[in-house]
Amino acid sequence: MIGRTSPQTPLYRLATQACFAEVDRIGRRPLPTGLAGPSGEPEGKLAQRPEVLWLEPIPDALVGGGRDTVGLEVIAALQYLPPQHRAALILRDLEGWPAAEVAEVLDARPLAVDDLLAEARVLFDPGPGDVVDHTRPDSVVLLDRYAQAFEQYDVPAIVELFADDAVWEMPPFTSWFRGAKNIGRLISTHCPAKGPGDQVLVPIKANGQPAFAVYMRDPVDNTHRAFQIQVLTLTAAGIIHAVAFFDLSLFDAFALPDLLAGLPESVGGQRPRFHIERIRHNHND
């Protein structure tokens, strides 16, 4: 961000007003959890709305800061705030601007900014408050176990890694599910994988959160193709939130190939490349 000096105030004011106009033009980008309550039948037909302009993940390389400012839950929750409230919360709480500077940008009195901020804090619900750092040693172990469980298609092992009240959602499907057991039932029923080696998970970073690019084996030619991108939120109790995005254009956004065979030698840096090569060799012969 450019240094906040008095000569820059008109520029910040113009940029803020432009953001207000753009938000008004495109409207809110939801996640499925923002549209309706959880679905009760993981084995049932999944409803979807491909026409919705969904909230999507951002590669860490394109943004600064961590989950406090760009996390999926944070961005989703910010969209429920009125524009002035949203700006006050972002600039004061997330970016740490003094009230006087925020007042200049919003063309308001400092006391009015304080009122906006107080109201925004009441309305703002960014999700789990006990999120843990995904770079902690125990978090790294959990993420490695998660990837291995998916690659082995070991559904009970996957379920063990989720918190009891975890949420799984997957735009463009509007159906979403709460509870580790329901997530397991969903995966058992709707995941196209049949056994070990059908899936390969490549670690990436999105929205300051741990994420995986999932490649699924095509039974016709035994090639692993782009399938989905998963973004996870971790707490001490386990994975509390998983969003699986089926928009394959996101692979381009994350500079990932459509085929696993085209993957660069080093991606993500969390898991050794030989692990991916070994799975592809053992199960694609």
Side-chain angles (χ1 to χ4, degrees), residues 218-241:
D218 186 332
V220 175
D221 60 8
N222 283 332
T223 299
H224 284 88
R225 301 181 184 277
F227 179 61
Q228 64 182 206
I229 285 180
Q230 298 181 8
V231 182
L232 309 178
T233 303
L234 311 184
T235 66
I239 299 166
I240 194 66
H241 190 196

Side-chain angles (χ1 to χ4, degrees), residues 113-125:
V113 170
D114 290 341
D115 290 341
L116 287 171
L117 184 61
E119 294 172 4
R121 287 170 174 166
V122 172
L123 297 171
F124 184 55
D125 180 12

